[in-house]
Amino acid sequence: MNLTDILAQAGGIESMAKELGIPPAMAKQGADALLPAILGGFKKQAQAGGGVEGLGGLLGQLGGGGLLDSVLGSQPTPVDQGNEVLGQIFGSKDVSRTVAGQAAAQTGLDSGILKQMLPMLAMMAAGYMAKQGGQSGGGGRLGGLVGGALR
């Protein structure tokens, strides 16, 4: 099962679609296009910052499992946190714009919608990985998630 399916099961795709005023199928299509870049950013962070343990520490600093809960909650998503996650994994807003542009070209979806999705998806992915990494055998499991998601 890929991360988009996992986030859909958790209610994240539906929640994001509702908040953005788009159909869930469109949100899933956008997530499928954007998540590989987000997960690639996390993988780079893990490689640069002390492996999976370093990534786990970073996820905790950014808000941990609460990031996923923020998107799933009934309040509007605090996208500032998502933008902080994107800043950590991409390094600059230019990279985020490029990722949204490439996803728009790939899917035919509006790049403006994709740009709005990026911080929410980053929060969901980070929150999900933090929750999984916090369970027993965290390091191996988190590494498997990041590695598995990129296959």
Side-chain angles (χ1 to χ4, degrees):
M1 186 180 318
N2 71 22
L3 188 57
T4 307
D5 294 337
I6 292 167
L7 295 177
Q9 277 187 346
I13 302 296
E14 181 99 10
S15 195
M16 182 175 66
K18 200 178 298 175
E19 192 164 335
L20 295 174
I22 59 174
M26 186 186 285
K28 184 178 183 330
Q29 186 183 11
D32 282 335
L34 294 169
L35 278 169
I38 291 169
L39 293 169
F42 282 122
K43 185 174 185 182
K44 260 192 208 132
Q45 280 300 118
Q47 290 168 339
V52 173
E53 290 74 26
L55 179 59
L58 174 67
L59 293 174
Q61 288 170 2
L62 293 170
L67 291 167
L68 176 59
D69 299 334
S70 292
V71 179
L72 296 176
S74 57
Q75 300 299 313
T77 302
V79 290
D80 288 351
Q81 285 178 294
N83 286 324
E84 197 176 317
V85 172
L86 290 170
Q88 286 290 330
I89 62 172
F90 290 158
S92 80
K93 285 194 183 296
D94 292 338
V95 177
S96 293
R97 287 186 197 104
T98 301
V99 167
Q102 288 172 339
Q106 180 186 334
T107 62
L109 298 175
D110 179 61
S111 68
I113 290 284
L114 292 164
K115 284 179 194 165
Q116 290 178 292
M117 285 179 154
L118 260 174
M120 292 179 181
L121 283 166
M123 288 173 70
M124 284 192 274
Y128 178 77
M129 288 191 294
K131 285 181 181 229
Q132 295 304 309
Q135 294 170 0
S136 60
R141 189 140 180 202
L142 186 58
L145 267 172
V146 174
L150 296 169
R151 281 192 206 116

